[in-house]
Amino acid sequence: QNTRGKMNSDNNTNAGRRRGNNYPNPKLRTHAVSVLDGDYSDYTFDDNDDEIDDDDFEAGQTLYNKFGNDDKWDIKNYDSNAGGPAEELDKDELLQREREKEAYEQQKEMDDQKARWLENAKPPVRVPEIDERGRSYGKGGRKVCTARVWIYPGEGVITINRREFLDFFPRETDREMILSPFVATKTCGMFDMIVQVDGGGVTGKAGAIRHGLARALEKYNPDYRPPMKRLGYMTRDSRMVERKKIGKKKARKAPQWVRR
């Protein structure tokens, strides 16, 4: 074992001598270069390196004179009115001006959009709508009923399809529903009302008349709108009767279950 270890150490020594004083490659030339500043003055050619030909140097100088110092690639500020190059600006200053211009245009667009939003958010201007006979008209609906209502200053007389109010609606709940817009606006007994209503049943007719009366009061005086709006009289009730389904007695009622 000692003899084998001695032979290995001798082989390593001889290999190191062949490599040239333990350097991996003696032909590799290294030198320090100032990379950041771009100063390569400390670079020296060895005797074995190829010298730069004068022809190559002259060719490089010609290319530099032709393309390296070309004024066409400089950033300039041109005045459109003068028709020629104006005062040359620094690249950073010109870039800053372009950024300021873009920011100004973006801010202007945002301001215009905000102004449009504010204009659209304003409530519409409502004016009274009264015909030559001093009446205001409103059309209302409920379920499949449609009611046309005219109101005008009077003593509180109500006529529905050329019939008296009490005869047409004997039920007290229907009467209260119809008169609720007068109660909300505190105008009971101040207007006479003429109604033409078609379709549906008694409850649907009452809801349609209330809707039409609320719209007629709003057109007569827009100041009556807020209290009726809060109570929901200005909104068309879109609820409808649900249709019957096949295999069921009504819309959802199922027949009695039988085991056999």
Side-chain angles (χ1 to χ4, degrees), residues 117-154:
W117 287 347
L118 293 176
E119 187 66 23
N120 295 333
K122 292 181 180 179
V125 179
R126 304 180 186 276
V127 295
E129 298 180 12
I130 302 174
D131 59 6
E132 64 278 0
R133 300 176 62 180
R135 302 181 304 179
S136 292
Y137 169 75
K139 182 178 180 181
R142 173 74 171 97
K143 296 183 179 179
V144 294
C145 298
T146 302
R148 295 176 294 168
V149 181
W150 291 267
I151 61 172
Y152 53 92

Side-chain angles (χ1 to χ4, degrees), residues 157-195:
V157 179
I158 300 175
T159 304
I160 302 174
N161 289 352
R162 298 183 180 182
R163 294 170 56 185
E164 293 183 1
F165 180 56
L166 298 179
D167 294 340
F168 200 91
F169 290 103
R171 193 181 303 169
E172 186 177 358
T173 55
D174 296 336
R175 299 175 192 170
E176 292 178 356
M177 181 186 297
I178 294 172
L179 297 177
S180 55
F182 285 135
V183 176
T185 56
K186 299 179 181 180
T187 57
C188 294
M190 297 174 58
F191 294 96
D192 291 345
M193 182 170 63
I194 299 176
V195 180

Side-chain angles (χ1 to χ4, degrees), residues 7-245:
M7 291 176 63
N8 291 335
S9 62
D10 293 340
N11 293 334
N12 293 334
T13 302
N14 295 331
R17 290 175 180 175
R18 288 196 301 270
R19 286 195 299 267
N21 297 328
N22 294 330
Y23 286 102
N25 188 1
K27 294 183 179 181
L28 180 63
R29 174 173 49 82
T30 59
H31 60 280
V33 179
S34 301
V35 178
L36 297 179
D37 297 334
D39 185 9
Y40 297 93
S41 60
D42 56 346
Y43 182 82
T44 56
F45 292 98
D46 294 338
D47 296 337
N48 297 329
D49 292 339
D50 297 335
E51 295 291 341
I52 298 177
D53 297 337
D54 294 339
D55 297 337
D56 296 338
F57 179 79
E58 292 178 358
Q61 189 67 25
T62 303
L63 291 175
Y64 175 78
N65 294 333
K66 184 176 181 181
F67 300 103
N69 190 14
D70 194 354
D71 295 338
K72 295 188 298 182
W73 302 101
D74 294 341
I75 299 177
K76 297 181 180 180
N77 182 20
Y78 289 95
D79 188 1
S80 59
N81 297 328
E87 180 183 358
E88 295 186 3
L89 300 177
D90 186 33
K91 295 181 180 180
D92 296 338
E93 184 178 357
L94 186 58
L95 183 60
Q96 182 66 20
R97 289 190 180 184
E98 292 179 356
R99 291 178 179 176
E100 292 177 357
K101 184 178 179 181
E102 293 177 359
Y104 172 76
E105 293 177 354
Q106 185 177 5
Q107 184 64 30
K108 184 179 179 181
E109 184 178 356
M110 293 176 62
D111 294 341
D112 295 341
Q113 186 178 14
K114 185 176 180 181
R116 290 194 300 269
W117 287 347
L118 293 176
E119 187 66 23
N120 295 333
K122 292 181 180 179
V125 179
R126 304 180 186 276
V127 295
E129 298 180 12
I130 302 174
D131 59 6
E132 64 278 0
R133 300 176 62 180
R135 302 181 304 179
S136 292
Y137 169 75
K139 182 178 180 181
R142 173 74 171 97
K143 296 183 179 179
V144 294
C145 298
T146 302
R148 295 176 294 168
V149 181
W150 291 267
I151 61 172
Y152 53 92
E155 297 179 356
V157 179
I158 300 175
T159 304
I160 302 174
N161 289 352
R162 298 183 180 182
R163 294 170 56 185
E164 293 183 1
F165 180 56
L166 298 179
D167 294 340
F168 200 91
F169 290 103
R171 193 181 303 169
E172 186 177 358
T173 55
D174 296 336
R175 299 175 192 170
E176 292 178 356
M177 181 186 297
I178 294 172
L179 297 177
S180 55
F182 285 135
V183 176
T185 56
K186 299 179 181 180
T187 57
C188 294
M190 297 174 58
F191 294 96
D192 291 345
M193 182 170 63
I194 299 176
V195 180
Q196 290 290 333
V197 60
D198 298 322
V202 179
T203 305
K205 285 182 172 66
I209 293 173
R210 187 188 72 174
H211 188 214
L213 175 59
R215 288 184 172 180
L217 286 171
E218 177 201 4
K219 291 183 179 180
Y220 189 86
N221 188 356
D223 296 337
Y224 293 156
R225 177 183 173 85
M228 294 189 295
K229 182 68 175 178
R230 285 194 296 268
L231 295 174
Y233 298 157
M234 302 299 301
T235 305
R236 166 67 159 88
D237 193 351
S238 61
R239 294 178 297 174
M240 299 289 290
V241 177
E242 189 175 352
R243 65 173 291 270
K244 181 185 179 302
K245 276 76 174 182

